Amino acid sequence: MIKSFLSSIFILLCAAIIQAAILSNMAILPAIPDLSLICVLYFSIQNGKLMGETTGFVSGLLLDFLGAGPFGLNCLIRTGIGYVTGLFNRTINTDGIIIPALLGLAATVAKALLLFLLSYLYPTAVMRYNPFSWLFLFELCANVILSPILFKLLGLMKKILILRPESVA
């Protein structure tokens, strides 16, 4: 369990650095694809709700440290998404292209709706995130396209990332 968790944290750190340092500085991208959210989806689908909420929290914490938003906002959103996705532990076959793409779509829409709601509850702290804008549409398309690719890449490391069936709660 420790090896799987530490490997997941390392991958989330790499994804957060790529997302915050490289992709955010590319002028050709109108919005940043959410690589760490896709990684959290993979970890939670494969390992359950405990790993989902833990990796969601850690990825949110990393993005909160690297970003300029309110501290804890990403932790809250990604912990919830990781937990809910972990409820479907090993009941969804993620080997194809369609299911990972649908998972990326659902998680991006859930993130947008949660941010939209939180921007109304805390108008001075949370920047408005408009789920009806072109920026959101680009992020949605990028996450849908990148989800199957990242699921395949993470699937190559199944031995170190996926817990044994008897240790999954």
Side-chain angles (χ1 to χ4, degrees):
M1 171 129 179
I2 298 295
K3 181 174 85 169
S4 174
F5 178 70
L6 291 176
S7 303
S8 300
I9 298 303
F10 178 73
I11 289 171
L12 287 172
L13 177 65
C14 293
I17 289 173
I18 289 170
Q19 187 174 327
I22 297 172
L23 295 178
S24 66
N25 292 320
M26 294 180 78
I28 59 171
L29 294 177
I32 304 166
D34 204 342
L35 302 177
S36 59
L37 181 67
I38 298 169
C39 291
V40 168
L41 289 175
Y42 180 81
F43 300 142
S44 60
I45 283 288
Q46 297 298 329
N47 294 320
K49 55 189 177 198
L50 178 64
M51 184 68 97
E53 65 189 8
T54 307
T55 56
F57 179 80
V58 170
S59 76
L61 193 64
L62 292 170
L63 289 175
D64 283 337
F65 277 125
L66 295 172
F71 193 73
L73 178 67
N74 285 312
C75 291
L76 174 68
I77 290 170
R78 291 163 194 278
T79 301
I81 291 174
Y83 179 80
V84 170
T85 308
L87 293 174
F88 302 103
N89 175 29
R90 299 191 184 178
T91 59
I92 297 175
N93 184 5
T94 59
D95 290 336
I97 294 173
I98 302 296
I99 299 299
L102 289 175
L103 286 170
L105 180 119
T108 306
V109 168
K111 180 183 92 166
L113 290 176
L114 286 170
L115 280 171
F116 189 70
L117 272 169
L118 288 172
S119 71
Y120 279 108
L121 293 174
Y122 303 102
T124 58
V126 179
M127 186 181 80
R128 293 231 183 258
Y129 190 83
N130 187 2
F132 306 108
S133 68
W134 288 106
L135 293 175
F136 172 69
L137 185 63
F138 178 82
E139 182 184 352
L140 183 68
C141 291
N143 286 349
V144 167
I145 291 169
L146 288 175
S147 291
I149 296 168
L150 278 177
F151 270 53
K152 293 290 184 199
L153 287 174
L154 292 171
L156 297 174
M157 298 179 273
K158 271 188 176 181
K159 288 195 185 274
I160 60 170
L161 293 177
I162 297 179
L163 301 172
R164 293 186 316 269
E166 61 271 2
S167 65
V168 175

